[in-house]
Amino acid sequence: MRILVVRRGAIGDTVVTLPTLDLLRDKYKNAYIEVIGNPQYWEIAYKRYYVDCVSSGDTKITKEFYTKEGLIDNEIGRYFSSFDLILAYISDPEGTVTQKLQKAGSKRIIVYPPFPNEEAGIHAVDYTAFALTELGIEATSPLYPTLHLNIEDTDFASSFLLQFDLRKPIIAIHPRTFGIKGWRRESFINLGKWIEKDLGGQVVWILGPAEEETLEAIRNDFPLYQILSFTPLPKVASVIKRASLYIGCDTGISHLAAAAGTPVIALFGPTNPHIWGPRGKRVLVLKAKNLYEIPEERVKEAIKTLIEKNTLEENKIIYME
């Protein structure tokens, strides 16, 4: 059995698709599963139980698929026809892509809109898995993404944390500071200082390409060994998995943290957390109309409560007035 899943998008889109792949693995035990998507994001699943191969979408789903007149290259056609099942999370309202895949000789095709309808209120994880009902696979809500990290990932985390005092709680923070999904940079830095001075914890800063300016600000107040920047996602996930708590915003890294099984505090603005909140068994969402309106003191209160209890016992969304 050869299965192809077309799932392009951001880190969060990758994470919410993991339960779907888990169901496919359970149904087709020895299947070869390939994904068309961003290889950097899909590294969390590549040769880590879920996926056998990742292909860049730009080289497979070409513009000819979206035009009725365009012809598909013979080599591309042979590629798609080699799969017994294609599950494509794409917008195809006129059925153009479906028809092209059929002409290429694809055996079974399921084309499914990539994102849930806001009005339906179905969480993105469950919505993504409901595409499998056409195959007779039952997706029972709620589904939870999980990670299957390998020894290389866990060895990296152990090495990275050598300079930390493991007797103290480690709190991972991903400081998203721009756009409607970002919180104030100074608030993140104040939070980090408070965690280390008042709580006796240690902060691990998770930074990517979008946080370069924040990186410079953090380097002024925290040693370099506490900063994890420009690091492959499986290694980031392995470090977060070792943390007592993760704090972030409405981002893919927050989804990754929940999938790692770490207690999560996620700050949300206008996005609906019932659909796009990190799906995990220990997630607290602090929600305001505008994310920057969430006060530092409210976040500190949540952190202190969770650290003192040493666990987050249930999922909860708290709305800020």
Side-chain angles (χ1 to χ4, degrees), residues 11 32 34 81 103 113 119 131 138-139 146 153 171 195 198 227 250 252 257 259 261 263 286 290 294 315:
I11 297 170
Y32 166 88
E34 185 168 333
S81 66
K103 287 181 179 179
E119 295 178 0
E138 184 178 0
T146 57
D153 304 327
I171 298 178
I195 287 168
D198 293 8
I227 300 172
D250 174 13
L286 300 180
N290 296 300
I294 298 175
N315 295 313

Side-chain angles (χ1 to χ4, degrees), residues 67-281:
T67 58
K68 293 182 178 180
E69 298 78 16
L71 297 175
I72 299 173
D73 179 88
N74 287 336
E75 184 178 345
I76 295 294
R78 285 192 294 271
Y79 167 78
F80 285 105
S81 66
S82 72
F83 292 96
D84 301 292
L85 169 66
I86 297 176
L87 173 58
Y89 292 95
I90 57 176
S91 296
D92 187 29
E94 297 181 1
T96 305
V97 176
T98 305
Q99 291 172 14
K100 291 290 181 72
L101 289 171
Q102 289 171 340
K103 287 181 179 179
S106 301
K107 299 173 182 65
R108 184 162 193 182
I109 307 159
I110 299 174
V111 173
Y112 200 71
F115 307 119
N117 188 313
E118 288 282 332
E119 295 178 0
I122 301 171
H123 194 280
V125 171
D126 301 326
Y127 167 83
T128 303
F130 289 161
L132 300 179
T133 56
E134 192 173 324
L135 297 170
I137 299 175
E138 184 178 0
T140 304
S141 175
L143 296 167
Y144 295 93
T146 57
L147 302 176
H148 295 266
L149 302 172
N150 62 29
I151 191 167
E152 181 182 333
D153 304 327
T154 55
D155 283 351
F156 173 86
S158 296
S159 177
F160 175 80
L161 295 171
L162 280 177
Q163 296 185 72
F164 288 77
D165 183 350
L166 299 183
R167 294 170 298 179
K168 298 180 179 180
I170 294 173
I171 298 178
I173 301 179
H174 177 226
R176 169 73 175 261
T177 61
F178 60 91
I180 61 172
K181 295 183 178 183
W183 205 39
R184 298 174 297 274
R185 180 179 295 124
E186 59 271 21
S187 292
F188 275 119
I189 293 174
N190 290 343
L191 205 61
K193 292 178 178 179
W194 173 81
I195 287 168
E196 300 207 333
K197 181 180 178 182
D198 293 8
L199 282 189
Q202 299 166 104
V203 174
V204 173
W205 296 96
I206 311 293
L207 299 163
E211 287 90 30
E212 285 193 51
E213 292 184 11
T214 302
L215 172 60
E216 292 304 314
I218 289 171
R219 288 173 65 176
N220 291 330
D221 294 296
F222 295 86
L224 281 176
Y225 76 83
Q226 291 183 239
I227 300 172
L228 192 63
S229 61
F230 305 100
T231 305
L233 288 179
K235 293 176 173 55
V236 170
S238 191
V239 172
I240 292 174
K241 188 177 180 67
R242 297 276 294 272
S244 300
L245 177 66
Y246 164 90
I247 303 161
C249 298
D250 174 13
T251 68
I253 300 298
S254 296
H255 285 273
L256 190 71
T262 301
V264 168
I265 295 177
L267 312 182
F268 264 63
T271 309
N272 185 347
H274 291 285
I275 298 175
W276 293 109
R279 174 59 75 80
K281 296 184 178 180

